[in-house]
Amino acid sequence: MLANKTAVVTGSTSGIGLGCARAFAAQGANVVINGLGDADEIEQTRAAIEADFGVRCNYSPANMLHGEEIAGMISDAEKAFGSVDILVNNAGIQHVSPLDEFPIEKWDAIIAINLSSAFHAIRAALPGMKERGWGRVINTASAHALVASPYKAAYVAAKHGVAGLTKTVALEVAEQGITVNAICPGYVWTPLVEAQIPDTMKARNMTEEEVKKDVMLKAQPTKEFVTVDQVAGYAVFLCSDTASAITGSIMPIDGGWTAQ
Ligand code: NAD
């Protein structure tokens, strides 16, 4: 479905971003992965995408804290592959703290990585998409783009900001064949989440099932984690022709969390 398209996915060295990159590659797209991590592991991840799907995959080390590196990532992708047709703004970090103790540098980093990086990447990618009359921008937001939780001020503010950015850009390019949407996952089963389970079991004297249901999934009515593949499948759908009328949408995939 995506042969001859190029997808740039920020924050795709693990978790949801990597799932999206692999799902686009499975549809025939060339992909640019990006993110932090061990250089050898990143190279293995990159090479596996090429080997598994027979597409080309480049790695961009652009740090989502820096606008000029983000613009460079987009122009390098355009030079290497001829276009950036699909852009997934997915990189994100979290910090949990009461507001009056919230470290200022954490606030600045979360706003930069979770919100401003999407602005910089979209700004750089739009001219090419406009020229070709086709584009898909998908912002990985969160259920926290729609509802809040205490102690996550920067994350919730950034994700609500992503929702506003999504709607605004969607309106600006609505007649140019470009759709702009936000996917809003609830709790997704990523290695990051899985790694927290043993410590929580010990600290609370709970079974694995109790930790998942009564701690992590307290707010998620299905009491099931969303999977990376489900989020990636949603992103692939948004790139299809069937989804061309979906734009400016802030789309929950959250097991009913935001229905409450
Ligand atoms: P993850 O930690 O597995 O992935 C985050 C990615 O962002 C990694 O590739 C990391 O290297 C990259 N990254 C972090 N800082 C960066 C920087 N300065 N420059 C470049 N890359 C950077 O986490 P995930 O769970 O896959 O999260 C991906 C996105 O999904 C985030 O935006 C997150 O807020 C959102 N999300 C996750 C969940 C969940 O439950 N896992 C739920 C809702 C939304």
Side-chain angles (χ1 to χ4, degrees), residues 10-17 34-37 62-65 89-93 113-114 140-143 155 159 184-193:
T10 72
S12 48
T13 49
S14 78
I16 294 169
N34 156 262
L36 311 177
N63 191 319
M64 294 299 110
L65 283 168
N89 292 301
N90 171 81
I93 58 168
I113 294 169
N114 295 19
T140 309
S142 165
Y155 188 87
K159 295 297 187 182
C184 299
Y187 281 95
V188 183
W189 186 251
T190 61
L192 207 82
V193 172

PDB file of all heavy atoms in Angstrom, residues 10-17 34-37 62-65 89-93 113-114 140-143 155 159 184-193, ligand 1:
ATOM      1  N   THR A  10       9.722   9.832  14.309  1.00  0.00           N
ATOM      2  CA  THR A  10      10.629  10.273  15.378  1.00  0.00           C
ATOM      3  C   THR A  10      10.444   9.357  16.589  1.00  0.00           C
ATOM      4  O   THR A  10       9.384   8.770  16.795  1.00  0.00           O
ATOM      5  CB  THR A  10      10.375  11.746  15.771  1.00  0.00           C
ATOM      6  OG1 THR A  10       9.147  11.850  16.498  1.00  0.00           O
ATOM      7  CG2 THR A  10      10.326  12.653  14.553  1.00  0.00           C
ATOM      8  N   GLY A  11      11.514   9.225  17.363  1.00  0.00           N
ATOM      9  CA  GLY A  11      11.449   8.370  18.558  1.00  0.00           C
ATOM     10  C   GLY A  11      11.085   6.945  18.204  1.00  0.00           C
ATOM     11  O   GLY A  11      10.178   6.349  18.783  1.00  0.00           O
ATOM     12  N   SER A  12      11.821   6.370  17.239  1.00  0.00           N
ATOM     13  CA  SER A  12      11.440   5.031  16.753  1.00  0.00           C
ATOM     14  C   SER A  12      12.526   3.988  16.991  1.00  0.00           C
ATOM     15  O   SER A  12      12.576   2.973  16.303  1.00  0.00           O
ATOM     16  CB  SER A  12      11.054   5.101  15.275  1.00  0.00           C
ATOM     17  OG  SER A  12      12.014   5.811  14.539  1.00  0.00           O
ATOM     18  N   THR A  13      13.388   4.247  17.991  1.00  0.00           N
ATOM     19  CA  THR A  13      14.352   3.210  18.349  1.00  0.00           C
ATOM     20  C   THR A  13      13.734   2.204  19.312  1.00  0.00           C
ATOM     21  O   THR A  13      14.351   1.191  19.639  1.00  0.00           O
ATOM     22  CB  THR A  13      15.627   3.826  18.969  1.00  0.00           C
ATOM     23  OG1 THR A  13      15.240   4.753  20.001  1.00  0.00           O
ATOM     24  CG2 THR A  13      16.441   4.550  17.921  1.00  0.00           C
ATOM     25  N   SER A  14      12.520   2.480  19.797  1.00  0.00           N
ATOM     26  CA  SER A  14      11.832   1.480  20.636  1.00  0.00           C
ATOM     27  C   SER A  14      10.328   1.756  20.649  1.00  0.00           C
ATOM     28  O   SER A  14       9.859   2.740  20.068  1.00  0.00           O
ATOM     29  CB  SER A  14      12.389   1.495  22.073  1.00  0.00           C
ATOM     30  OG  SER A  14      11.857   2.574  22.803  1.00  0.00           O
ATOM     31  N   GLY A  15       9.603   0.861  21.291  1.00  0.00           N
ATOM     32  CA  GLY A  15       8.184   1.083  21.595  1.00  0.00           C
ATOM     33  C   GLY A  15       7.279   1.357  20.402  1.00  0.00           C
ATOM     34  O   GLY A  15       7.393   0.718  19.346  1.00  0.00           O
ATOM     35  N   ILE A  16       6.380   2.310  20.585  1.00  0.00           N
ATOM     36  CA  ILE A  16       5.346   2.619  19.587  1.00  0.00           C
ATOM     37  C   ILE A  16       5.970   3.089  18.270  1.00  0.00           C
ATOM     38  O   ILE A  16       5.535   2.695  17.178  1.00  0.00           O
ATOM     39  CB  ILE A  16       4.385   3.700  20.150  1.00  0.00           C
ATOM     40  CG1 ILE A  16       3.598   3.133  21.335  1.00  0.00           C
ATOM     41  CG2 ILE A  16       3.463   4.224  19.067  1.00  0.00           C
ATOM     42  CD1 ILE A  16       2.825   4.179  22.128  1.00  0.00           C
ATOM     43  N   GLY A  17       6.984   3.925  18.363  1.00  0.00           N
ATOM     44  CA  GLY A  17       7.623   4.459  17.159  1.00  0.00           C
ATOM     45  C   GLY A  17       8.224   3.358  16.309  1.00  0.00           C
ATOM     46  O   GLY A  17       8.061   3.335  15.079  1.00  0.00           O
ATOM     47  N   ASN A  34      14.547   7.197  14.089  1.00  0.00           N
ATOM     48  CA  ASN A  34      15.214   8.251  14.863  1.00  0.00           C
ATOM     49  C   ASN A  34      15.049   7.948  16.342  1.00  0.00           C
ATOM     50  O   ASN A  34      14.085   7.307  16.739  1.00  0.00           O
ATOM     51  CB  ASN A  34      14.545   9.611  14.510  1.00  0.00           C
ATOM     52  CG  ASN A  34      14.711  10.644  15.612  1.00  0.00           C
ATOM     53  OD1 ASN A  34      13.814  10.840  16.435  1.00  0.00           O
ATOM     54  ND2 ASN A  34      15.835  11.277  15.649  1.00  0.00           N
ATOM     55  N   GLY A  35      15.996   8.406  17.132  1.00  0.00           N
ATOM     56  CA  GLY A  35      15.848   8.240  18.582  1.00  0.00           C
ATOM     57  C   GLY A  35      17.185   8.058  19.246  1.00  0.00           C
ATOM     58  O   GLY A  35      18.230   8.048  18.593  1.00  0.00           O
ATOM     59  N   LEU A  36      17.130   7.920  20.545  1.00  0.00           N
ATOM     60  CA  LEU A  36      18.345   7.774  21.337  1.00  0.00           C
ATOM     61  C   LEU A  36      18.596   6.295  21.579  1.00  0.00           C
ATOM     62  O   LEU A  36      17.712   5.470  21.389  1.00  0.00           O
ATOM     63  CB  LEU A  36      18.170   8.499  22.678  1.00  0.00           C
ATOM     64  CG  LEU A  36      17.635   9.937  22.607  1.00  0.00           C
ATOM     65  CD1 LEU A  36      17.445  10.493  24.007  1.00  0.00           C
ATOM     66  CD2 LEU A  36      18.544  10.828  21.773  1.00  0.00           C
ATOM     67  N   GLY A  37      19.805   5.975  22.034  1.00  0.00           N
ATOM     68  CA  GLY A  37      20.081   4.587  22.396  1.00  0.00           C
ATOM     69  C   GLY A  37      21.468   4.147  21.989  1.00  0.00           C
ATOM     70  O   GLY A  37      22.244   4.926  21.413  1.00  0.00           O
ATOM     71  N   ALA A  62      19.015  12.883  14.943  1.00  0.00           N
ATOM     72  CA  ALA A  62      18.546  14.214  15.357  1.00  0.00           C
ATOM     73  C   ALA A  62      17.959  14.184  16.768  1.00  0.00           C
ATOM     74  O   ALA A  62      17.143  13.321  17.087  1.00  0.00           O
ATOM     75  CB  ALA A  62      17.490  14.707  14.369  1.00  0.00           C
ATOM     76  N   ASN A  63      18.402  15.128  17.583  1.00  0.00           N
ATOM     77  CA  ASN A  63      17.867  15.251  18.939  1.00  0.00           C
ATOM     78  C   ASN A  63      16.625  16.147  18.901  1.00  0.00           C
ATOM     79  O   ASN A  63      16.703  17.293  18.439  1.00  0.00           O
ATOM     80  CB  ASN A  63      18.932  15.837  19.867  1.00  0.00           C
ATOM     81  CG  ASN A  63      18.519  15.729  21.315  1.00  0.00           C
ATOM     82  OD1 ASN A  63      17.352  15.949  21.662  1.00  0.00           O
ATOM     83  ND2 ASN A  63      19.463  15.379  22.169  1.00  0.00           N
ATOM     84  N   MET A  64      15.526  15.633  19.389  1.00  0.00           N
ATOM     85  CA  MET A  64      14.242  16.345  19.298  1.00  0.00           C
ATOM     86  C   MET A  64      14.195  17.596  20.189  1.00  0.00           C
ATOM     87  O   MET A  64      13.198  18.324  20.193  1.00  0.00           O
ATOM     88  CB  MET A  64      13.082  15.411  19.642  1.00  0.00           C
ATOM     89  CG  MET A  64      12.874  14.283  18.645  1.00  0.00           C
ATOM     90  SD  MET A  64      12.494  14.847  16.966  1.00  0.00           S
ATOM     91  CE  MET A  64      13.982  14.397  16.093  1.00  0.00           C
ATOM     92  N   LEU A  65      15.292  17.845  20.915  1.00  0.00           N
ATOM     93  CA  LEU A  65      15.391  19.085  21.690  1.00  0.00           C
ATOM     94  C   LEU A  65      15.759  20.270  20.796  1.00  0.00           C
ATOM     95  O   LEU A  65      15.582  21.418  21.208  1.00  0.00           O
ATOM     96  CB  LEU A  65      16.489  18.947  22.764  1.00  0.00           C
ATOM     97  CG  LEU A  65      16.165  18.137  24.013  1.00  0.00           C
ATOM     98  CD1 LEU A  65      17.441  17.854  24.801  1.00  0.00           C
ATOM     99  CD2 LEU A  65      15.144  18.856  24.883  1.00  0.00           C
ATOM    100  N   ASN A  89       5.172  12.107  14.362  1.00  0.00           N
ATOM    101  CA  ASN A  89       5.834  12.782  15.478  1.00  0.00           C
ATOM    102  C   ASN A  89       5.511  12.008  16.740  1.00  0.00           C
ATOM    103  O   ASN A  89       4.416  12.128  17.301  1.00  0.00           O
ATOM    104  CB  ASN A  89       5.329  14.229  15.571  1.00  0.00           C
ATOM    105  CG  ASN A  89       5.787  15.032  14.380  1.00  0.00           C
ATOM    106  OD1 ASN A  89       6.984  15.164  14.133  1.00  0.00           O
ATOM    107  ND2 ASN A  89       4.836  15.529  13.593  1.00  0.00           N
ATOM    108  N   ASN A  90       6.478  11.197  17.159  1.00  0.00           N
ATOM    109  CA  ASN A  90       6.212  10.204  18.196  1.00  0.00           C
ATOM    110  C   ASN A  90       7.132  10.317  19.415  1.00  0.00           C
ATOM    111  O   ASN A  90       6.770   9.833  20.487  1.00  0.00           O
ATOM    112  CB  ASN A  90       6.340   8.805  17.564  1.00  0.00           C
ATOM    113  CG  ASN A  90       6.293   7.701  18.581  1.00  0.00           C
ATOM    114  OD1 ASN A  90       5.218   7.307  19.031  1.00  0.00           O
ATOM    115  ND2 ASN A  90       7.463   7.212  19.001  1.00  0.00           N
ATOM    116  N   ALA A  91       8.302  10.947  19.248  1.00  0.00           N
ATOM    117  CA  ALA A  91       9.259  10.986  20.370  1.00  0.00           C
ATOM    118  C   ALA A  91       8.596  11.614  21.593  1.00  0.00           C
ATOM    119  O   ALA A  91       7.837  12.580  21.471  1.00  0.00           O
ATOM    120  CB  ALA A  91      10.497  11.787  19.979  1.00  0.00           C
ATOM    121  N   GLY A  92       8.862  11.045  22.743  1.00  0.00           N
ATOM    122  CA  GLY A  92       8.264  11.610  23.948  1.00  0.00           C
ATOM    123  C   GLY A  92       8.964  11.132  25.198  1.00  0.00           C
ATOM    124  O   GLY A  92       9.548  10.044  25.218  1.00  0.00           O
ATOM    125  N   ILE A  93       8.914  11.979  26.224  1.00  0.00           N
ATOM    126  CA  ILE A  93       9.435  11.601  27.541  1.00  0.00           C
ATOM    127  C   ILE A  93       8.395  12.000  28.586  1.00  0.00           C
ATOM    128  O   ILE A  93       7.442  12.729  28.284  1.00  0.00           O
ATOM    129  CB  ILE A  93      10.790  12.278  27.868  1.00  0.00           C
ATOM    130  CG1 ILE A  93      10.679  13.811  27.820  1.00  0.00           C
ATOM    131  CG2 ILE A  93      11.876  11.787  26.902  1.00  0.00           C
ATOM    132  CD1 ILE A  93      11.874  14.528  28.414  1.00  0.00           C
ATOM    133  N   ILE A 113      10.497  18.256  23.556  1.00  0.00           N
ATOM    134  CA  ILE A 113      10.512  16.943  22.880  1.00  0.00           C
ATOM    135  C   ILE A 113       9.090  16.504  22.506  1.00  0.00           C
ATOM    136  O   ILE A 113       8.859  15.989  21.418  1.00  0.00           O
ATOM    137  CB  ILE A 113      11.193  15.884  23.784  1.00  0.00           C
ATOM    138  CG1 ILE A 113      12.676  16.227  23.958  1.00  0.00           C
ATOM    139  CG2 ILE A 113      11.025  14.472  23.211  1.00  0.00           C
ATOM    140  CD1 ILE A 113      13.399  15.420  25.038  1.00  0.00           C
ATOM    141  N   ASN A 114       8.134  16.708  23.413  1.00  0.00           N
ATOM    142  CA  ASN A 114       6.778  16.173  23.187  1.00  0.00           C
ATOM    143  C   ASN A 114       5.904  17.100  22.340  1.00  0.00           C
ATOM    144  O   ASN A 114       4.923  16.641  21.770  1.00  0.00           O
ATOM    145  CB  ASN A 114       6.059  15.929  24.520  1.00  0.00           C
ATOM    146  CG  ASN A 114       6.718  14.849  25.366  1.00  0.00           C
ATOM    147  OD1 ASN A 114       7.878  14.516  25.160  1.00  0.00           O
ATOM    148  ND2 ASN A 114       5.994  14.308  26.317  1.00  0.00           N
ATOM    149  N   THR A 140       1.726  11.225  17.621  1.00  0.00           N
ATOM    150  CA  THR A 140       1.406  10.340  18.738  1.00  0.00           C
ATOM    151  C   THR A 140       1.153  11.237  19.944  1.00  0.00           C
ATOM    152  O   THR A 140       2.089  11.767  20.541  1.00  0.00           O
ATOM    153  CB  THR A 140       2.567   9.374  19.067  1.00  0.00           C
ATOM    154  OG1 THR A 140       2.983   8.725  17.868  1.00  0.00           O
ATOM    155  CG2 THR A 140       2.121   8.320  20.067  1.00  0.00           C
ATOM    156  N   ALA A 141      -0.117  11.422  20.261  1.00  0.00           N
ATOM    157  CA  ALA A 141      -0.437  12.219  21.453  1.00  0.00           C
ATOM    158  C   ALA A 141      -0.586  11.231  22.610  1.00  0.00           C
ATOM    159  O   ALA A 141       0.336  10.463  22.912  1.00  0.00           O
ATOM    160  CB  ALA A 141      -1.681  13.045  21.213  1.00  0.00           C
ATOM    161  N   SER A 142      -1.760  11.217  23.229  1.00  0.00           N
ATOM    162  CA  SER A 142      -1.977  10.348  24.395  1.00  0.00           C
ATOM    163  C   SER A 142      -3.407  10.589  24.864  1.00  0.00           C
ATOM    164  O   SER A 142      -4.009  11.623  24.544  1.00  0.00           O
ATOM    165  CB  SER A 142      -1.008  10.755  25.505  1.00  0.00           C
ATOM    166  OG  SER A 142      -1.392  10.206  26.751  1.00  0.00           O
ATOM    167  N   ALA A 143      -3.940   9.651  25.662  1.00  0.00           N
ATOM    168  CA  ALA A 143      -5.181   9.956  26.367  1.00  0.00           C
ATOM    169  C   ALA A 143      -5.008  11.269  27.143  1.00  0.00           C
ATOM    170  O   ALA A 143      -5.976  12.011  27.370  1.00  0.00           O
ATOM    171  CB  ALA A 143      -5.537   8.817  27.315  1.00  0.00           C
ATOM    172  N   TYR A 155       3.669  16.916  30.764  1.00  0.00           N
ATOM    173  CA  TYR A 155       3.238  15.921  29.772  1.00  0.00           C
ATOM    174  C   TYR A 155       1.823  16.227  29.281  1.00  0.00           C
ATOM    175  O   TYR A 155       1.549  16.232  28.077  1.00  0.00           O
ATOM    176  CB  TYR A 155       3.301  14.525  30.407  1.00  0.00           C
ATOM    177  CG  TYR A 155       3.073  13.373  29.461  1.00  0.00           C
ATOM    178  CD1 TYR A 155       4.125  12.813  28.742  1.00  0.00           C
ATOM    179  CD2 TYR A 155       1.799  12.823  29.292  1.00  0.00           C
ATOM    180  CE1 TYR A 155       3.919  11.737  27.881  1.00  0.00           C
ATOM    181  CE2 TYR A 155       1.589  11.750  28.438  1.00  0.00           C
ATOM    182  CZ  TYR A 155       2.648  11.211  27.737  1.00  0.00           C
ATOM    183  OH  TYR A 155       2.438  10.149  26.892  1.00  0.00           O
ATOM    184  N   LYS A 159       0.802  17.351  25.562  1.00  0.00           N
ATOM    185  CA  LYS A 159      -0.080  16.515  24.734  1.00  0.00           C
ATOM    186  C   LYS A 159      -1.356  17.276  24.352  1.00  0.00           C
ATOM    187  O   LYS A 159      -1.857  17.120  23.234  1.00  0.00           O
ATOM    188  CB  LYS A 159      -0.414  15.205  25.453  1.00  0.00           C
ATOM    189  CG  LYS A 159       0.798  14.291  25.688  1.00  0.00           C
ATOM    190  CD  LYS A 159       1.449  13.804  24.386  1.00  0.00           C
ATOM    191  CE  LYS A 159       2.533  12.762  24.636  1.00  0.00           C
ATOM    192  NZ  LYS A 159       3.190  12.312  23.403  1.00  0.00           N
ATOM    193  N   CYS A 184      -4.281   8.901  20.150  1.00  0.00           N
ATOM    194  CA  CYS A 184      -4.218   9.111  21.602  1.00  0.00           C
ATOM    195  C   CYS A 184      -4.288   7.781  22.351  1.00  0.00           C
ATOM    196  O   CYS A 184      -5.363   7.366  22.810  1.00  0.00           O
ATOM    197  CB  CYS A 184      -5.373  10.003  22.033  1.00  0.00           C
ATOM    198  SG  CYS A 184      -5.320  11.613  21.254  1.00  0.00           S
ATOM    199  N   PRO A 185      -3.150   7.095  22.496  1.00  0.00           N
ATOM    200  CA  PRO A 185      -3.181   5.814  23.197  1.00  0.00           C
ATOM    201  C   PRO A 185      -3.392   5.977  24.694  1.00  0.00           C
ATOM    202  O   PRO A 185      -2.973   6.963  25.289  1.00  0.00           O
ATOM    203  CB  PRO A 185      -1.784   5.229  22.930  1.00  0.00           C
ATOM    204  CG  PRO A 185      -1.147   6.099  21.894  1.00  0.00           C
ATOM    205  CD  PRO A 185      -1.804   7.426  22.000  1.00  0.00           C
ATOM    206  N   GLY A 186      -4.055   4.961  25.265  1.00  0.00           N
ATOM    207  CA  GLY A 186      -4.031   4.799  26.718  1.00  0.00           C
ATOM    208  C   GLY A 186      -2.738   4.087  27.066  1.00  0.00           C
ATOM    209  O   GLY A 186      -1.716   4.305  26.416  1.00  0.00           O
ATOM    210  N   TYR A 187      -2.769   3.208  28.074  1.00  0.00           N
ATOM    211  CA  TYR A 187      -1.540   2.494  28.436  1.00  0.00           C
ATOM    212  C   TYR A 187      -1.197   1.459  27.376  1.00  0.00           C
ATOM    213  O   TYR A 187      -2.014   0.593  27.064  1.00  0.00           O
ATOM    214  CB  TYR A 187      -1.685   1.820  29.801  1.00  0.00           C
ATOM    215  CG  TYR A 187      -1.496   2.814  30.920  1.00  0.00           C
ATOM    216  CD1 TYR A 187      -2.590   3.443  31.511  1.00  0.00           C
ATOM    217  CD2 TYR A 187      -0.219   3.158  31.351  1.00  0.00           C
ATOM    218  CE1 TYR A 187      -2.415   4.375  32.512  1.00  0.00           C
ATOM    219  CE2 TYR A 187      -0.033   4.094  32.353  1.00  0.00           C
ATOM    220  CZ  TYR A 187      -1.133   4.696  32.931  1.00  0.00           C
ATOM    221  OH  TYR A 187      -0.958   5.634  33.912  1.00  0.00           O
ATOM    222  N   VAL A 188       0.004   1.588  26.830  1.00  0.00           N
ATOM    223  CA  VAL A 188       0.444   0.677  25.776  1.00  0.00           C
ATOM    224  C   VAL A 188       1.510  -0.251  26.346  1.00  0.00           C
ATOM    225  O   VAL A 188       2.399   0.190  27.082  1.00  0.00           O
ATOM    226  CB  VAL A 188       1.035   1.456  24.579  1.00  0.00           C
ATOM    227  CG1 VAL A 188       1.417   0.496  23.458  1.00  0.00           C
ATOM    228  CG2 VAL A 188       0.049   2.495  24.075  1.00  0.00           C
ATOM    229  N   TRP A 189       1.402  -1.506  26.003  1.00  0.00           N
ATOM    230  CA  TRP A 189       2.365  -2.492  26.481  1.00  0.00           C
ATOM    231  C   TRP A 189       3.674  -2.302  25.718  1.00  0.00           C
ATOM    232  O   TRP A 189       3.850  -2.779  24.607  1.00  0.00           O
ATOM    233  CB  TRP A 189       1.799  -3.905  26.279  1.00  0.00           C
ATOM    234  CG  TRP A 189       2.665  -4.952  26.874  1.00  0.00           C
ATOM    235  CD1 TRP A 189       3.430  -5.856  26.189  1.00  0.00           C
ATOM    236  CD2 TRP A 189       2.873  -5.219  28.265  1.00  0.00           C
ATOM    237  NE1 TRP A 189       4.097  -6.660  27.082  1.00  0.00           N
ATOM    238  CE2 TRP A 189       3.779  -6.291  28.362  1.00  0.00           C
ATOM    239  CE3 TRP A 189       2.384  -4.634  29.449  1.00  0.00           C
ATOM    240  CZ2 TRP A 189       4.204  -6.804  29.589  1.00  0.00           C
ATOM    241  CZ3 TRP A 189       2.812  -5.154  30.659  1.00  0.00           C
ATOM    242  CH2 TRP A 189       3.706  -6.223  30.711  1.00  0.00           C
ATOM    243  N   THR A 190       4.611  -1.529  26.304  1.00  0.00           N
ATOM    244  CA  THR A 190       5.937  -1.345  25.712  1.00  0.00           C
ATOM    245  C   THR A 190       6.964  -1.898  26.696  1.00  0.00           C
ATOM    246  O   THR A 190       6.662  -2.056  27.885  1.00  0.00           O
ATOM    247  CB  THR A 190       6.239   0.153  25.435  1.00  0.00           C
ATOM    248  OG1 THR A 190       6.216   0.859  26.672  1.00  0.00           O
ATOM    249  CG2 THR A 190       5.249   0.771  24.482  1.00  0.00           C
ATOM    250  N   PRO A 191       8.185  -2.153  26.228  1.00  0.00           N
ATOM    251  CA  PRO A 191       9.224  -2.653  27.131  1.00  0.00           C
ATOM    252  C   PRO A 191       9.378  -1.753  28.358  1.00  0.00           C
ATOM    253  O   PRO A 191       9.661  -2.214  29.455  1.00  0.00           O
ATOM    254  CB  PRO A 191      10.498  -2.620  26.268  1.00  0.00           C
ATOM    255  CG  PRO A 191      10.001  -2.720  24.867  1.00  0.00           C
ATOM    256  CD  PRO A 191       8.668  -2.038  24.839  1.00  0.00           C
ATOM    257  N   LEU A 192       9.153  -0.477  28.146  1.00  0.00           N
ATOM    258  CA  LEU A 192       9.255   0.505  29.237  1.00  0.00           C
ATOM    259  C   LEU A 192       8.269   0.197  30.368  1.00  0.00           C
ATOM    260  O   LEU A 192       8.594   0.243  31.559  1.00  0.00           O
ATOM    261  CB  LEU A 192       8.914   1.874  28.647  1.00  0.00           C
ATOM    262  CG  LEU A 192       9.521   3.087  29.316  1.00  0.00           C
ATOM    263  CD1 LEU A 192      10.942   3.275  28.823  1.00  0.00           C
ATOM    264  CD2 LEU A 192       8.690   4.323  28.975  1.00  0.00           C
ATOM    265  N   VAL A 193       7.039  -0.154  29.991  1.00  0.00           N
ATOM    266  CA  VAL A 193       5.989  -0.464  30.968  1.00  0.00           C
ATOM    267  C   VAL A 193       6.275  -1.825  31.611  1.00  0.00           C
ATOM    268  O   VAL A 193       6.203  -1.978  32.836  1.00  0.00           O
ATOM    269  CB  VAL A 193       4.599  -0.468  30.273  1.00  0.00           C
ATOM    270  CG1 VAL A 193       3.505  -0.963  31.204  1.00  0.00           C
ATOM    271  CG2 VAL A 193       4.264   0.927  29.755  1.00  0.00           C
TER     272      VAL A 193
HETATM  273  P1  NAD B   1       9.617   4.697  24.444  1.00  0.00           P
HETATM  274  O1  NAD B   1      10.401   5.256  25.597  1.00  0.00           O
HETATM  275  O2  NAD B   1       9.699   3.235  24.134  1.00  0.00           O
HETATM  276  O3  NAD B   1       9.954   5.515  23.118  1.00  0.00           O
HETATM  277  C1  NAD B   1      10.295   6.875  23.121  1.00  0.00           C
HETATM  278  C2  NAD B   1      11.187   7.164  21.937  1.00  0.00           C
HETATM  279  O4  NAD B   1      11.509   8.567  21.938  1.00  0.00           O
HETATM  280  C3  NAD B   1      12.527   6.396  21.983  1.00  0.00           C
HETATM  281  O5  NAD B   1      12.877   5.976  20.685  1.00  0.00           O
HETATM  282  C4  NAD B   1      13.490   7.466  22.480  1.00  0.00           C
HETATM  283  O6  NAD B   1      14.831   7.223  22.090  1.00  0.00           O
HETATM  284  C5  NAD B   1      12.927   8.700  21.797  1.00  0.00           C
HETATM  285  N1  NAD B   1      13.403   9.947  22.374  1.00  0.00           N
HETATM  286  C6  NAD B   1      13.325  10.368  23.661  1.00  0.00           C
HETATM  287  N2  NAD B   1      13.945  11.556  23.777  1.00  0.00           N
HETATM  288  C7  NAD B   1      14.399  11.895  22.543  1.00  0.00           C
HETATM  289  C8  NAD B   1      15.125  13.009  22.020  1.00  0.00           C
HETATM  290  N3  NAD B   1      15.518  14.021  22.793  1.00  0.00           N
HETATM  291  N4  NAD B   1      15.420  13.012  20.701  1.00  0.00           N
HETATM  292  C9  NAD B   1      15.061  11.977  19.892  1.00  0.00           C
HETATM  293  N5  NAD B   1      14.368  10.902  20.339  1.00  0.00           N
HETATM  294  C10 NAD B   1      14.061  10.877  21.646  1.00  0.00           C
HETATM  295  O7  NAD B   1       8.112   5.102  24.752  1.00  0.00           O
HETATM  296  P2  NAD B   1       6.730   4.754  24.020  1.00  0.00           P
HETATM  297  O8  NAD B   1       5.875   4.224  25.092  1.00  0.00           O
HETATM  298  O9  NAD B   1       6.907   3.993  22.777  1.00  0.00           O
HETATM  299  O10 NAD B   1       6.233   6.237  23.671  1.00  0.00           O
HETATM  300  C11 NAD B   1       6.207   6.780  22.360  1.00  0.00           C
HETATM  301  C12 NAD B   1       5.197   7.916  22.318  1.00  0.00           C
HETATM  302  O11 NAD B   1       3.920   7.415  22.678  1.00  0.00           O
HETATM  303  C13 NAD B   1       5.501   9.070  23.277  1.00  0.00           C
HETATM  304  O12 NAD B   1       5.197  10.300  22.652  1.00  0.00           O
HETATM  305  C14 NAD B   1       4.553   8.800  24.431  1.00  0.00           C
HETATM  306  O13 NAD B   1       4.216   9.977  25.114  1.00  0.00           O
HETATM  307  C15 NAD B   1       3.369   8.227  23.688  1.00  0.00           C
HETATM  308  N6  NAD B   1       2.467   7.420  24.521  1.00  0.00           N
HETATM  309  C16 NAD B   1       2.900   6.265  25.146  1.00  0.00           C
HETATM  310  C17 NAD B   1       2.000   5.548  25.936  1.00  0.00           C
HETATM  311  C18 NAD B   1       2.397   4.262  26.663  1.00  0.00           C
HETATM  312  O14 NAD B   1       1.633   3.794  27.508  1.00  0.00           O
HETATM  313  N7  NAD B   1       3.523   3.634  26.365  1.00  0.00           N
HETATM  314  C19 NAD B   1       0.695   6.007  26.075  1.00  0.00           C
HETATM  315  C20 NAD B   1       0.298   7.170  25.419  1.00  0.00           C
HETATM  316  C21 NAD B   1       1.192   7.871  24.641  1.00  0.00           C
END
